[in-house]
Amino acid sequence: MKLSIERAALLKAVSQAQSVVERRNTIPILANVLIEAEGNDVQFRATDLDIEVVDKAPAMVERAGATTVSAVTLHEIVRKLPDGAMVTLEDGGAGRLVVTAGRSHFDLATLPKEDFPVMASSEYASNFSAPAPVLRRLFDKSKFAISTEETRYYLNGVYMHVAESENGRVLRCVATDGHRLARIDAELPEGAEDMPGVIVPRKTVGELRKLLDDDELKVAVSVSETKVRFATPDITLTSKVIDGTFPDYTRVIPTGNTKTMEVDASDFARAVDRVATVSSERSRAVKLALDEDRLVLSVNAPDSGAAEEELAVAYGDERLEIGFNAKYLLEIASQVDRENAVFLFNSAGDPTLMREGSDTSAVYVVMPMRV
């Protein structure tokens, strides 16, 4: 194998591959990236046995072939090479890969390509394509609510499924950790009608985000009961899905909340952040006291002090005092793209609903705290 490739193209491909690789490995081959050169392309394939990413880049291939080399080492070398450099990768024989660029020369240990595990391709029940900005919104707005509790492994991802909404059938992403919940809807893409509901793992959601930066891109999505695949012309990301049943989230979304508060989302987030400064890290409880068109945010931490801030809001219901975890409020407020956040309350002990203005395609639920 011998090929030449531009540094920028190589860096882009290798950085996507190396981020999938687990830093601590008991199986040495899993620390490597499989390089396959043929025709006018070179493919970089990396896996942790749950996720596989294949990144394709244009290259001048003198001799077709394949080998595997440490993903992290190759990435570090390429990252430190000067901009615009032409990089040559050549199989040096005797278990070595020779990397040259200008006056730099590296000799890296390789492992046999035959040992590299390739994820078995499965039959996908559903294939459709969606614009990158649509998928980005679905996952970006829901991922903050993914649970990190390993015991409730079925909450360690985003539940992507087809659902009924008041505007017909939609493609929906839901995440929850029991304290807060995010439910985001998008128009149902053609071909997705029979898609099985799948729980996309947290790590996959993070890796997928790197594919979705280009607003012009269409992403091909394939879903089966056990796997999900996202593909752009250059990158294919395949992942196992979480083997579990996502709970019936519709039961926790309150429908009878009638006390409505409308507030400027960024003003609200900044005020919460300011008053939470004095609270002890552990509880971080912020009290919201609502009265006719005014909101008083307060924190009382006996060991460190107290803080209070008043905001003008649109509120016309009876007086209400309710407490929340400051971190949860901030995370939810930061999801709002429009100017105004609308909070719907019932009582101090009931879950609160939040949405962006009159838009019901993004709904958030947060559980209150005793204050």
Side-chain angles (χ1 to χ4, degrees), residues 68-112:
T68 83
V69 67
S70 164
V72 175
T73 309
L74 182 61
H75 177 251
E76 281 299 293
I77 287 171
V78 178
R79 194 172 64 79
K80 292 171 184 175
L81 288 173
D83 268 350
M86 273 308 272
V87 186
T88 305
L89 305 179
E90 185 177 3
D91 198 341
R96 287 284 185 248
L97 176 74
V98 179
V99 181
T100 45
R103 295 178 184 178
S104 306
H105 179 99
F106 304 89
D107 206 12
L108 306 179
T110 63
L111 288 171

Side-chain angles (χ1 to χ4, degrees), residues 27-246:
I27 310 168
I29 193 80
L30 291 183
N32 281 17
V33 57
L34 172 63
I35 305 170
E36 300 167 292
E38 200 179 342
N40 298 320
D41 289 317
V42 57
Q43 282 198 150
F44 298 87
R45 186 185 298 261
T47 184
D48 66 358
L49 297 182
D50 288 326
I51 303 174
E52 178 187 77
V53 67
V54 181
D55 210 318
K56 200 156 71 169
M60 290 182 287
V61 179
E62 278 183 51
R63 280 198 307 277
T67 187
T68 83
V69 67
S70 164
V72 175
T73 309
L74 182 61
H75 177 251
E76 281 299 293
I77 287 171
V78 178
R79 194 172 64 79
K80 292 171 184 175
L81 288 173
D83 268 350
M86 273 308 272
V87 186
T88 305
L89 305 179
E90 185 177 3
D91 198 341
R96 287 284 185 248
L97 176 74
V98 179
V99 181
T100 45
R103 295 178 184 178
S104 306
H105 179 99
F106 304 89
D107 206 12
L108 306 179
T110 63
L111 288 171
K113 62 179 189 291
E114 292 76 23
D115 295 352
F116 195 88
V118 173
M119 203 178 255
S121 58
S122 68
E123 285 291 308
Y124 291 102
S126 178
N127 296 282
F128 60 92
S129 69
V134 170
L135 289 173
R136 190 169 67 218
R137 176 178 174 272
L138 282 171
F139 285 99
D140 272 6
K141 284 181 170 294
S142 55
K143 67 184 180 192
F144 76 91
I146 296 175
S147 172
T148 50
E149 239 179 280
E150 295 304 327
T151 48
R152 302 168 79 187
Y153 64 92
Y154 48 85
L155 296 180
N156 292 169
V158 171
Y159 181 41
M160 182 172 75
H161 60 297
V162 177
E164 293 290 344
S165 79
E166 54 256 46
N167 305 321
R169 303 187 81 202
V170 291
L171 179 62
R172 177 174 287 174
C173 280
V174 178
T176 182
D177 63 359
H179 302 290
R180 61 250 163 101
L181 176 145
R183 188 199 79 192
I184 318 297
D185 293 348
E187 202 177 309
L188 189 64
E190 210 175 305
E193 296 82 3
D194 302 322
M195 180 187 100
V198 288
I199 306 170
V200 183
R202 186 193 311 110
K203 183 176 175 181
T204 308
V205 171
E207 291 303 323
L208 170 63
R209 184 63 186 78
K210 299 168 191 165
L211 274 67
L212 304 177
D213 274 336
D214 185 347
D215 283 356
E216 303 300 310
L217 263 183
K218 276 275 208 197
V219 180
V221 185
S222 307
V223 185
S224 75
E225 297 283 352
T226 55
K227 289 201 183 86
V228 60
R229 186 178 70 198
F230 299 92
T232 68
D234 296 332
I235 304 171
T236 304
L237 176 70
T238 311
S239 168
K240 291 179 182 172
V241 298
I242 292 174
D243 182 13
T245 306
F246 201 80

